[in-house]
Amino acid sequence: MKFDTVVLGSGIVGVCVAAHLQKRGRQVALIDRKLPGNETSFGNAGLIQREGVYPYAFPRELSTLLRYARNRSPELRYHANALLKTAPFLWQYWRNSHPAKHAAIARSYATLIEHCVSEHRALAAEASASELLRASGWIKVFRTEAAWDAETRVAEKWHREYGVAFEALDAARLQQAEPNLAPSLSGGLRYSASHSVSDPNALVTAYAKYFEALGGRFFIGDADSLREGWELDTQAGTITASSVVVALGPWSDRVAKRFGYDLPLAVKRGYHMHYAPQPTARLHHPVLDVEKGYLLAPMARGIRLTTGAEIALCDAPKTPLQLAAVEPVARTLFPLGERLDDEPWMGRRPCTPDMMPIIGPAKNQQGLWFAFGHAHHGLTLGPVTGRLLAEMMTGEETVVDGRPFRVERF
């Protein structure tokens, strides 16, 4: 079986790369060990973050670092045995989070973020999945005036620099927007230009079906079987192609290393659980409890509670301590009912130390391309990444300047 391109990984990024290449006349095989959208893309908060022009930085305040060191913070936990291995990554991440460097990174990163909503809307329309997108934005809520004031100043900065739309909600207006939230909240910020998704897995599945409707083919296969000449094994037989795209999320570095690229990729793990709302209670927007480090999102299955980050080895056993810590707090914010899942879900966010994805060609290997490292914004940036890489591979004018995202920066 011969194809023009093999795309390894059927999460949101890989599916979007495959669809955009197939649209441009390439014959594409999409390969994964599971069905599309059933790894990291299954369990995110469902946000398409048009406001996310500044990628999530490593905290630099001493008081915050000391608090994290105690390993009891709801928004960040770590495995002690992972710190030594990830120390070089964390050091570079901390250095790149200096305000001046972070601002420089944002100038490149914002070029992708600018297109995140429009590219999702276009692809969803083509895939007959527009009903899965919600244009109502999402809300950060605050328990203290000080936290609300500080975040409002940040939102104003983003608005001045990049035109990020937001709405400041005092306590009364927040209650109007979300009547079932705790009335003791001080206020909120609504990012009105952002979108959310009612079922991320269903959205990735719809994009994958669109790819197949265009003539693309999906195979269950093993990325570790990839060989020189771009040949690999699937359940349907051996596939060959003239090019290959590595879009394996947190497992991408394992394949890249076999072909000479030792990349500084780490993971931030996260957990979720679904809950039934109490009778008559309704949540209209995804809501981030900023000071307590968790997010509640209305999903097709119920109310999804998602946690912050866990620094751990990629395939270490689950330790859903954050979920256990924030669930009682979340119940005071919104009237959650019974758990709907048998056990907590866990996913892995693939992260680079400069907070930007790796998108583009591997210069040392003809026909090898990369599309991974999107950290917290994989769902957000999937379609624009797919378009950008497809344009690079077909020699078209690119939607944004792809040079800041090339692998050579490492």
Side-chain angles (χ1 to χ4, degrees):
M1 293 181 287
K2 295 183 179 180
F3 292 84
D4 296 319
T5 304
V6 167
V7 177
L8 301 178
S10 66
I12 182 64
V13 174
V15 166
C16 290
V17 169
H20 273 283
L21 283 170
Q22 193 72 32
K23 281 175 61 177
R24 287 161 173 78
R26 294 289 180 97
Q27 294 302 306
V28 181
L30 179 64
I31 314 295
D32 207 323
R33 61 186 180 182
K34 295 183 178 181
L35 293 175
N38 278 280
E39 282 288 359
T40 305
S41 296
F42 183 87
N44 52 71
L47 301 180
I48 302 172
Q49 292 186 253
R50 177 60 185 85
E51 87 293 340
V53 290
Y54 277 81
Y56 290 100
F58 196 98
R60 294 178 62 88
E61 302 83 4
L62 180 59
S63 60
T64 303
L65 294 174
L66 290 174
R67 178 162 56 86
Y68 286 169
R70 297 173 57 205
N71 208 19
R72 298 180 62 85
S73 174
E75 68 268 29
L76 179 69
R77 293 289 179 97
Y78 61 86
H79 288 189
N81 65 352
L83 289 184
L84 182 61
K85 185 172 182 179
T86 59
F89 169 89
L90 294 173
W91 169 246
Q92 291 298 323
Y93 185 13
W94 181 82
R95 291 187 63 191
N96 286 319
S97 298
H98 182 279
K101 289 187 176 182
H102 197 203
I105 288 167
R107 286 192 286 274
S108 296
Y109 197 72
T111 64
L112 288 175
I113 291 291
E114 178 184 356
H115 299 279
C116 67
V117 169
S118 58
E119 289 299 318
H120 259 291
R121 289 172 67 103
L123 192 56
E126 293 166 353
S128 300
S130 298
E131 73 280 358
L132 296 172
L133 302 184
R134 300 177 296 207
S136 54
W138 68 285
I139 298 176
K140 292 181 177 181
V141 299
F142 305 93
R143 295 168 179 269
T144 65
E145 292 280 349
W148 184 34
D149 290 344
E151 285 283 334
T152 300
R153 289 193 294 271
V154 172
E156 290 169 345
K157 180 177 185 292
W158 294 350
H159 177 72
R160 289 193 305 271
E161 293 179 351
Y162 297 106
V164 170
F166 76 97
E167 181 183 7
L169 305 172
D170 61 19
R173 294 181 66 196
L174 179 58
Q175 279 292 299
Q176 290 177 351
E178 290 290 352
N180 294 118
L181 292 183
S184 58
L185 294 168
S186 295
L189 293 174
R190 176 174 171 265
Y191 290 105
S192 53
S194 297
H195 281 32
S196 64
V197 179
S198 61
D199 188 335
N201 174 256
L203 185 68
V204 179
T205 299
Y207 289 172
K209 288 181 178 178
Y210 171 60
F211 158 73
E212 291 181 302
L214 292 170
R217 295 186 64 186
F218 173 76
F219 298 90
I220 298 292
D222 183 4
D224 287 336
S225 71
L226 182 67
R227 300 179 287 277
E228 293 279 3
W230 311 137
E231 180 180 273
L232 79 160
D233 302 325
T234 75
Q235 289 183 357
T238 299
I239 286 176
T240 61
S242 57
S243 60
V244 60
V245 178
V246 178
L248 290 162
W251 298 280
S252 297
D253 59 334
R254 187 167 68 189
V255 173
K257 190 170 186 178
R258 290 176 47 219
F259 297 97
Y261 288 85
D262 191 5
L263 300 175
L265 199 70
V267 298
K268 297 180 188 176
R269 306 198 315 179
Y271 299 85
H272 84 224
M273 173 62 67
H274 290 99
Y275 302 81
Q278 294 286 358
T280 75
R282 185 179 176 189
L283 189 65
H284 301 277
H285 305 78
V287 171
L288 174 65
D289 189 345
V290 172
E291 291 150 285
K292 298 298 183 179
Y294 66 90
L295 184 142
L296 294 174
M299 294 282 179
R301 179 163 170 73
I303 305 298
R304 179 179 289 182
L305 169 58
T306 70
T307 69
E310 179 185 68
I311 306 300
L313 299 180
C314 185
D315 295 320
K318 292 181 182 180
T319 52
L321 300 175
Q322 288 166 294
L323 185 68
V326 298
E327 180 182 314
V329 181
R331 291 184 180 280
T332 69
L333 183 77
F334 180 83
L336 296 174
E338 64 180 347
R339 286 188 169 195
L340 299 177
D341 302 326
D342 293 334
E343 62 179 45
W345 178 90
M346 185 191 77
R348 306 158 178 89
R349 308 173 183 98
C351 304
T352 65
D354 67 358
M355 296 161 274
M356 295 202 298
I358 299 171
I359 306 170
K363 290 294 188 181
N364 298 334
Q365 291 281 343
Q366 182 68 31
L368 178 62
W369 299 77
F370 295 145
F372 55 86
H374 293 74
H376 296 263
H377 287 155
L379 180 68
T380 293
L381 295 177
V384 68
T385 296
R387 176 179 171 181
L388 173 60
L389 191 68
E391 290 168 344
M392 288 178 174
M393 294 180 71
T394 56
E396 298 178 37
E397 181 179 354
T398 56
V399 61
V400 302
D401 182 0
R403 288 174 295 181
F405 312 109
R406 296 288 185 100
V407 68
E408 296 91 85
R409 70 186 193 266
F410 296 117

